[in-house]
Amino acid sequence: MTASLSVEPADLEPGIDLPRFRDRFRAWLRKHSDVLAAWRDVHPASLEEALRHDAKLLVLLWESGWGKWGWPEAVGGAGGAAALRSVLIDELWAHDIELPHQYDSIEILGQMVTDLRPDLAQRFFPALATGRELWAQGFSEPEAGSDLASLRTRATPDGDGFRLNGQKIWNSLAAAGNRAFVLARTGTPESRHRGLTMFFVDLDTPGLVVRPIALASGFNHLAEIFLDDVPVPADRLIGEVDGGWAVLMKLMQYERGTYAWQRQAKLLCRLRGLVSRLDTDDPAAPAEVGRAYLRVLATRAKTANTVRRLDAGNTLGPDTSVDKVLLGAAEHAVADLARDLDPYGFLLDDSAAAAHRYDDWWFSRATTIFGGAGEVQRGIVADRVLRLPTEKG
Ligand SMILES: Cc1cc2nc3c(=O)[nH]c(=O)nc-3n(C[C@H](O)[C@H](O)[C@H](O)COP(=O)(O)OP(=O)(O)OC[C@H]3O[C@@H](n4cnc5c(N)ncnc54)[C@H](O)[C@@H]3O)c2cc1C
């Protein structure tokens, strides 16, 4: 791939710092702008097509070496601070290059396996990083979303391993995925979060069925997962038996950190695109753009701090619910702005940029639901960060 697209490899010294990495990567992006144009102003018609196209960029970044920085050598990376990856993500969006859809999986689940099961990461992570595989999160159930600790999918010991029975729903990227992290009950029905275990499950295991959920956007982004006596070997446990909640909490840190970081970088990119097309005769437009811009910058400032804390090895606390609330507001603001500045084009223009505005708007509606609904996050901020008095006083 690298040879056919003829880009030169990254030539970096070990221990490179963030500003130098940024400068060198910018220079590389400028130098290979013609090759990278394949990922600008494109809007594939389906998720499957998008994933195939995006996989080519993942291979290009990996084989040229840039995508390896910030990942440990044990999983095929080039080492260095994890924050180097945040710089790469920021610069891709800053150069109007659409970040591969697989990045959600790579940055959240890839990081989690690398931390908790380096042996599995060594085996499977390079395939994830180069788009040959895609991993999904199988946590929510029809009766267990915000109250995830009430989930009912059961894991029963069977020989050396377990058998899974139950149903998951709203699983991002599962319809095109190869593996999923499935949270299941190993304790008593009353054990709540203390009786859950995390499994790394192959989606082609007999007894497992993935059914896509039709969305208004037309993209097969979400799916249901049905588990009927699905065997999972003991070496596919992530964390301890009954220790799944701790694994989930670790995962949420990455969702608040690098995932939020990549979203704000995307929002800045979209805002730049909107400003470049701004109707200068519309007197309200500058103020509307300014308001959306402030929301994105507030998210960027808070998330940058979160990414830095993660990079320094700190455990994140309930204050990252603030990141989630800020991000949700920024997502809504930018998507609504894109619609309001050009309502006719929003519905009828068939350019790639307009298709993105349309998709982004649909997706933005869900950003205050997934990864912890907005109301729940505000509850956490009120109770655990601000320690506001309860209704009972
Ligand atoms: C686009 C998208 C992608 C998703 N991806 C995944 C995925 O990959 N994997 C996965 O496992 N799940 C995923 N989810 C599911 C998501 O995590 C849940 O939808 C979310 O946790 C909310 O749960 P619920 O839908 O059951 O709603 P409910 O929990 O039933 O909530 C309904 C409403 O009640 C409110 N509410 C609930 N409890 C409280 C409370 N204590 N205080 C105040 N208000 C409350 C909520 O805020 C919400 O407005 C995804 C969802 C979406 C929309």
Side-chain angles (χ1 to χ4, degrees):
M1 169 60 61
T2 328
S4 63
L5 289 174
S6 66
V7 296
E8 70 188 29
D11 178 21
L12 303 177
E13 59 279 6
I16 187 164
D17 61 17
L18 302 188
R20 247 178 105 68
F21 182 84
R22 185 183 290 273
D23 287 349
R24 304 272 280 274
F25 189 48
R26 270 185 193 161
W28 185 86
L29 289 171
R30 277 197 296 271
K31 183 164 185 182
H32 299 291
S33 182
D34 51 340
V35 172
L36 295 163
W39 290 278
R40 271 192 209 107
D41 292 329
V42 280
H43 184 268
S46 67
L47 180 63
E48 294 71 18
E49 208 182 302
L51 290 169
R52 275 195 296 277
H53 186 65
D54 289 350
K56 292 180 192 160
L57 178 55
L58 287 175
V59 172
L60 187 70
L61 291 169
W62 191 255
E63 291 191 353
S64 62
W66 292 103
K68 293 184 179 177
W69 284 90
W71 290 106
E73 289 172 29
V75 303
L84 294 172
R85 285 151 34 198
S86 299
V87 173
L88 177 133
I89 288 166
D90 211 28
E91 287 302 317
L92 286 172
W93 279 118
H95 288 78
D96 298 328
I97 296 166
E98 294 285 320
L99 192 73
H101 285 74
Q102 290 90 336
Y103 255 89
D104 297 0
S105 240
I106 294 170
E107 284 295 337
I108 299 175
L109 302 174
Q111 178 67 72
M112 192 177 79
V113 176
T114 301
D115 284 354
L116 298 180
R117 286 293 306 273
D119 56 326
L120 289 179
Q122 197 172 13
R123 258 172 82 194
F124 298 117
F125 179 75
L128 178 71
T130 50
R132 283 179 286 127
E133 284 205 5
L134 190 61
W135 302 348
Q137 303 179 16
F139 310 143
S140 306
E141 299 184 1
E143 302 295 327
S146 300
D147 185 18
L148 198 58
S150 67
L151 68 79
R152 288 191 293 203
T153 291
R154 178 112 223 131
T156 319
D158 178 42
D160 279 348
F162 287 83
R163 286 200 178 257
L164 301 184
N165 283 284
Q167 183 198 343
K168 299 294 174 180
I169 194 167
W170 311 125
N171 308 117
S172 300
L173 304 174
N178 308 84
R179 302 177 212 279
F181 291 80
V182 174
L183 195 59
R185 185 157 303 285
T186 33
T188 62
E190 301 76 35
S191 58
R192 301 273 304 165
H193 62 280
R194 288 180 302 280
L196 300 173
T197 303
M198 189 73 83
F199 297 89
F200 187 42
V201 181
D202 296 347
L203 290 176
D204 60 358
T205 312
L208 191 153
V209 174
V210 180
R211 193 180 296 160
I213 298 173
L215 296 185
S217 66
F219 261 52
N220 276 345
H221 181 79
L222 295 173
E224 294 175 281
I225 300 176
F226 297 89
L227 303 132
D228 182 9
D229 237 13
V230 174
V232 185
D235 77 341
R236 291 302 192 84
L237 254 73
I238 309 284
E240 306 288 321
V241 172
D242 292 341
W245 197 255
V247 176
L248 186 75
M249 291 302 106
K250 197 165 181 60
L251 179 145
M252 290 316 284
Q253 302 200 20
Y254 300 129
E255 188 139 339
R256 300 286 187 266
T258 22
Y259 174 77
W261 178 256
Q262 69 194 42
R263 294 299 306 178
Q264 64 76 30
K266 174 176 182 168
L267 293 175
L268 278 181
C269 171
R270 294 290 189 253
L271 269 178
R272 265 197 318 279
L274 289 177
V275 169
S276 70
R277 303 168 43 257
L278 208 56
D279 176 0
T280 46
D281 293 336
D282 178 354
E288 286 173 26
V289 171
R291 272 192 289 275
Y293 192 61
L294 280 179
R295 285 200 182 279
V296 180
L297 283 192
T299 309
R300 184 174 173 86
K302 179 76 174 78
T303 307
N305 186 39
T306 302
V307 168
R308 256 186 242 118
R309 283 158 64 203
L310 266 179
D311 206 33
N314 294 331
T315 302
L316 303 180
D319 72 286
T320 55
S321 287
V322 175
D323 301 39
K324 180 79 172 109
V325 171
L326 288 175
L327 178 62
E331 297 260 12
H332 280 227
V334 174
D336 287 350
L337 180 70
R339 177 200 58 192
D340 296 344
L341 288 179
D342 180 16
Y344 175 81
F346 181 76
L347 289 174
L348 299 175
D349 184 349
D350 57 4
S351 69
H356 279 305
R357 288 197 289 279
Y358 190 71
D359 283 354
D360 289 350
W361 189 87
W362 278 109
F363 189 77
S364 72
R365 302 304 101 174
T367 55
T368 42
I369 301 174
F370 65 75
E375 293 81 355
V376 175
Q377 300 311 311
R378 286 185 170 82
I380 293 171
V381 173
D383 293 343
R384 297 180 54 201
V385 180
L386 301 174
R387 299 194 184 280
L388 297 181
T390 60
E391 281 172 19
K392 288 181 190 152

